[in-house]
Amino acid sequence: MGPRSLGDIRQFGLGLVLAVIGVLAVAAFSALHFFLPPPAVGGLQPISGSLVGRVEVHGSSRVGPWASFTIHSGNATTGARINNYGFIWDCNATPGLLQLKDGAEITVWFTEKDLADRTEALAWRIQHAGEDLLSLDQSLGAYHSQKERLFYFAFGVIASGIALMLWGWRVANAEQRRASNGL
């Protein structure tokens, strides 16, 4: 029996699949962040109202812990979400957000698109009694750190795929050498 072709080596095939998945992930993340960039400061719309219930922190999801709350303003009740809650840096005032009680008067900044498209709009800034409980800088910092983590993960998948491909290539070369030495 002669040496297997490179395409028949399991490590090479798995490495190729991982490398392709990693490249597709980098392309998808790049497209996502190009077409859905974080909002500009002037692109946010404030809504003032009273907190319904409390701010609840939810366990891990595929993007990390997140928080949700509901705000009642005028005749409208809006469900809100804070992404990357567990990864918000410099969050000295953020614990105050969890201590807010039902009926607390807050102002929350959303994008107009989020308010129109979602049942749970993404909150980018939260204020209570004139004090930022979640600043726009904190939200943007968390957004950018999540983007970096996803890119690092995708590049790790690419690197793993390339390493497996090289291993498969070495296995194929070793089999060829053995076959040529056996003749």
Side-chain angles (χ1 to χ4, degrees), residues 146-169:
Q146 178 192 26
K147 181 173 117 178
E148 285 177 20
R149 281 190 311 277
L150 293 174
F151 273 110
Y152 289 147
F153 177 75
F155 284 122
V157 170
I158 292 171
S160 299
I162 290 172
L164 280 170
M165 288 171 61
L166 290 174
W167 183 20
W169 179 71

Side-chain angles (χ1 to χ4, degrees), residues 41-178:
V41 176
L44 295 175
Q45 176 182 351
I47 293 181
S48 295
S50 59
L51 182 67
V52 177
R54 297 184 63 107
V55 177
E56 296 180 30
V57 177
H58 304 277
S60 268
S61 67
R62 59 189 151 82
V63 293
W66 56 283
S68 66
F69 62 95
T70 305
I71 183 172
H72 183 73
S73 175
N75 294 334
T77 301
T78 305
R81 175 184 178 104
I82 304 169
N83 281 345
N84 301 310
Y85 186 79
F87 299 106
I88 295 175
W89 312 122
D90 188 29
C91 50
N92 296 331
T94 306
L97 187 59
L98 298 176
Q99 296 169 356
L100 289 176
K101 303 224 184 296
D102 186 25
E105 292 296 317
I106 59 174
T107 303
V108 184
W109 280 260
F110 303 103
T111 63
E112 288 183 31
K113 185 176 190 255
D114 270 349
L115 287 174
D117 292 348
R118 293 184 177 206
T119 55
E120 277 193 337
L122 189 59
W124 288 92
R125 181 178 176 199
I126 302 171
Q127 236 179 26
H128 171 65
E131 180 183 343
D132 274 342
L133 297 180
L134 176 65
S135 71
L136 181 59
D137 289 339
Q138 287 173 314
S139 294
L140 291 176
Y143 173 86
H144 290 299
S145 67
Q146 178 192 26
K147 181 173 117 178
E148 285 177 20
R149 281 190 311 277
L150 293 174
F151 273 110
Y152 289 147
F153 177 75
F155 284 122
V157 170
I158 292 171
S160 299
I162 290 172
L164 280 170
M165 288 171 61
L166 290 174
W167 183 20
W169 179 71
R170 288 193 63 185
V171 167
N173 279 344
E175 285 183 4
Q176 283 181 344
R177 271 187 264 134
R178 262 183 278 160

